[in-house]
Amino acid sequence: MALNLEKAVIGIEFGSTNIKAVLIDENHVPVAFGSHGWENQLLDGVWTYSLEAIHAGLQDCYAKLKKDVQEKCGVTLTKVAAIGFSAMMHGYMAFDKDDKLLVPFRTWRNTITGEAAAALTELFHYNIPQRWSIAHLYQAILNGEEHVKDVTYFTTLAGYIHWILTGRKVLGVGDASGMFPIDPATKDYIPEMIEKFDALVAPKGFAWKLKDILPQVLCAGQDAGTLTAEGAKLLDPAGDLEAGIPLCPPEGDAGTGMTATNSVAQRTGNISAGTSVFSMVVLEQPLKDVHPEIDLVTTPSGSLVAMVHCNNCTSDLNAWAGVFNEFAKAIGANIDGNTLYGAILNGALTADPDCGGVMTYGYFSGEHITGFEEGRPLMARTPDANFTLGNFARAIVFSALGAIKLGQNILDAEGVKVDRMLGHGGLYKTKDVGQKLTAAAFNAPVSVMETAGEGGAWGIALLASYMVNQAEGETLEAYLQDKVFAGMKSVTLEPDPVDVAGFAKFMERYVAMLPAERAAVETLK
């Protein structure tokens, strides 16, 4: 395969369970791939990834991409037109004046900042979720944590990766909007809220001011620095990668999901379903009320977005797939992952519309929309339930969409309009299943593009491509519509009224049985 490296672009995204890399050609077509599996650890009650795991995962993922380029194209990866990095949003990585990480990385998955989030929401009259970086910082202050006085910089995982590779303390506006509220008019942190925060913590006597320890905000297409010699060596210890490659502003997985589904224009939306699940709708105007269930973030170009984020989605499905894989091996059958997931999920298409009396909660961690700070995966059924593999699979998928449906109901009540919803992420890799059941949950058409499986790595690669290839005055929206997605194939499934009714019945049970999930949390220690 012929490949012009000088026009190729690399995108790498740190997801919750996989770090994925993609190299795209000048036509935005994915050419080569790399991936590295990893898992967060629960350390002293905090979900985290170590710096060692971050660095090792980055290098392994890149090495596999480099190997794939060599095998497919016969060239050594030395220089490309641009690189982009993205990662799971939110969380807390705080550093001192010597660039030392002060406390282990606190990820989005933690629900340990309830007091801070509530106080800041009231102070700002703006929803501050527990995941947000500012909530983590303020909770550390409320806890009297010693490290806070030494903070000189705090950022997200994407911001950290970008910093160690370029030396620039910057963040894409979409990722920054998950740290602190952004004004869509100025595309920067809201100064009145920064002033309120500084006044709130002034009695503590910290040497820092909030603006000074936050990353600089950049919009898609802006210069975010270049790969340093040290960064090139960190990314490619073999020494083949050259310094000086431009990097686009680092983004969060929400922004790359919007980009990868061409959902950055107003009245467009997407749903990303992987370890966590979130829906994004680009707003025409701000919401009328403050809703603790709804995050207000931005697109990579700075437009306001209503985000419904839930902590749990496919983890329970993955756990059950592991059990079924063990069984397959026990009887001497070795099957690949796609076949395994297909065997589990395809029965959901012909199962009972309401799952036949089977009920599950895939709560591996807390779920703020339903009021849980902790979770316990749970399955229950009535004695006369139609307990089949299909109903079991359908219940797992419906449950994965249960909490986000409750959040989406709020947007419906606000009168938010969306012309199209696009699905992407792991839930949509098995043909039709996730897409059809999502259409039932949202009672709306759901489209999946042929690139749906590429996800955020492809999305950040597109943002990197936009930075180096944009025409003068060309918006991100126009670039994606005219140069990336024009003529791209997609499949749209309309909601089946029978499925819609079945999901509604399932949701009645989902809400009614929440006390059982609560009892599981309280009694299963």
Side-chain angles (χ1 to χ4, degrees):
M1 178 187 298
L3 176 66
N4 185 347
L5 282 179
E6 293 186 358
K7 294 185 177 181
V9 171
I10 293 173
I12 299 178
E13 179 161 280
F14 284 67
S16 300
T17 57
N18 281 286
I19 305 170
K20 296 181 180 179
V22 62
L23 181 140
I24 64 174
D25 64 16
E26 57 196 278
N27 297 313
H28 311 102
V29 176
V31 173
F33 306 89
S35 67
H36 172 85
W38 71 338
E39 287 288 348
N40 52 194
Q41 292 84 43
L42 188 61
L43 181 65
D44 297 326
V46 174
W47 291 106
T48 187
Y49 300 86
S50 69
L51 288 185
E52 293 77 15
I54 293 168
H55 292 185
L58 173 65
Q59 291 174 346
D60 183 56
C61 183
Y62 178 83
K64 289 174 179 174
L65 174 70
K66 181 180 176 182
K67 181 181 178 183
D68 200 36
V69 170
Q70 182 70 54
E71 292 177 349
K72 288 179 177 176
C73 307
V75 295
T76 300
L77 199 49
T78 56
K79 187 175 183 179
V80 291
I83 304 176
F85 289 91
S86 59
M88 57 193 101
M89 289 178 67
H90 317 296
Y92 182 71
M93 298 189 79
F95 300 86
D96 67 10
K97 60 182 177 56
D98 298 317
D99 299 339
K100 176 186 175 184
L101 184 67
L102 290 166
V103 291
F105 171 32
R106 297 171 181 177
T107 78
W108 61 270
R109 196 171 193 176
N110 291 287
T111 50
I112 55 176
T113 64
E115 183 184 2
L120 293 177
T121 296
E122 182 177 357
L123 178 69
F124 298 153
H125 195 63
Y126 193 103
N127 183 37
I128 304 296
Q130 289 200 49
R131 302 181 307 282
W132 281 31
S133 306
I134 192 62
H136 279 279
L137 175 63
Y138 188 48
Q139 189 65 54
I141 293 171
L142 293 176
N143 293 346
E145 296 186 37
E146 183 68 19
H147 82 271
V148 176
K149 64 179 174 52
D150 298 320
V151 175
T152 61
Y153 179 54
F154 75 120
T155 188
T156 65
L157 178 55
Y160 170 70
I161 296 294
H162 187 93
W163 174 35
I164 62 174
L165 296 178
T166 67
R168 294 281 302 275
K169 295 179 178 180
V170 301
L171 205 57
V173 63
D175 206 4
S177 70
M179 289 192 73
F180 194 86
I182 293 286
D183 182 347
T186 63
K187 305 185 191 310
D188 203 351
Y189 305 115
I190 299 176
E192 295 83 2
M193 294 185 187
I194 286 184
E195 291 172 5
K196 287 183 177 181
F197 185 86
D198 284 338
L200 178 67
V201 302
K204 300 293 183 180
F206 299 128
W208 50 262
K209 296 292 187 182
L210 182 57
K211 180 73 171 179
D212 298 330
I213 64 173
L214 281 164
Q216 177 190 357
V217 180
L218 297 176
C219 288
Q222 289 186 282
D223 172 29
T226 59
L227 188 66
T228 63
E230 296 81 5
K233 190 68 174 177
L234 175 63
L235 187 55
D236 182 18
D240 294 317
L241 188 63
E242 299 177 13
I245 299 171
L247 268 69
C248 71
E251 265 298 349
D253 50 1
T256 58
M258 285 185 275
T259 303
T261 54
N262 193 22
S263 303
V264 296
Q266 290 182 355
R267 292 177 65 105
T268 61
N270 77 88
I271 178 169
S272 173
T275 303
S276 64
V277 58
F278 54 83
S279 65
M280 316 281 294
V281 177
V282 186
L283 300 174
E284 296 176 281
Q285 56 193 15
L287 299 179
K288 303 181 190 73
D289 298 310
V290 176
H291 301 282
E293 302 88 352
I294 309 295
D295 295 12
L296 291 176
V297 293
T298 77
T299 68
S301 52
S303 295
L304 198 62
V305 175
M307 176 181 183
V308 182
H309 184 284
C310 301
N311 288 348
N312 303 281
C313 187
T314 60
S315 292
D316 201 31
L317 172 61
N318 295 337
W320 281 106
V323 172
F324 286 122
N325 192 37
E326 280 189 48
F327 174 75
K329 289 180 178 178
I331 61 172
N334 288 310
I335 56 178
D336 65 81
N338 289 335
T339 302
L340 174 66
Y341 278 90
I344 297 170
L345 288 172
N346 282 323
L349 295 177
T350 55
D352 295 327
D354 67 344
C355 308
V358 180
M359 187 69 217
T360 72
Y361 292 96
Y363 284 18
F364 272 62
S365 61
E367 196 61 82
H368 75 105
I369 285 183
T370 49
F372 285 82
E373 294 187 358
E374 295 182 61
R376 299 291 184 272
L378 179 69
M379 185 185 72
R381 66 186 192 272
T382 58
D384 60 345
N386 186 17
F387 189 45
T388 65
L389 179 60
N391 279 333
F392 172 69
R394 192 178 183 95
I396 287 178
V397 177
F398 272 1
S399 179
L401 299 170
I404 199 168
K405 174 62 175 177
L406 297 177
Q408 203 66 30
N409 289 344
I410 296 170
L411 294 182
D412 293 341
E414 276 267 5
V416 172
K417 304 296 183 185
V418 59
D419 294 329
R420 56 187 172 92
M421 185 70 74
L422 293 108
H424 64 106
L427 186 63
Y428 303 103
K429 286 188 175 181
T430 299
K431 181 178 172 58
D432 292 345
V433 181
Q435 186 179 3
K436 181 177 173 64
L437 299 187
T438 301
F442 282 75
N443 194 18
V446 175
S447 300
V448 173
M449 296 181 178
E450 57 186 5
T451 54
E454 310 301 346
W458 188 61
I460 192 63
L462 294 181
L463 291 173
S465 178
Y466 169 66
M467 182 186 68
V468 293
N469 294 315
Q470 62 184 306
E472 185 176 353
E474 185 176 29
T475 65
L476 175 62
E477 292 83 352
Y479 183 85
L480 293 176
Q481 182 62 38
D482 300 337
K483 296 181 178 177
V484 179
F485 291 95
M488 185 169 287
K489 296 178 182 178
S490 66
V491 175
T492 300
L493 293 181
E494 298 286 337
D496 183 326
V498 174
D499 289 335
V500 172
F503 182 79
K505 190 172 181 180
F506 175 88
M507 282 302 297
E508 290 178 7
R509 292 197 201 102
Y510 182 93
V511 173
M513 270 191 60
L514 284 171
E517 172 66 17
R518 175 69 61 192
V521 171
E522 292 173 352
T523 57
L524 186 58
K525 301 296 184 183

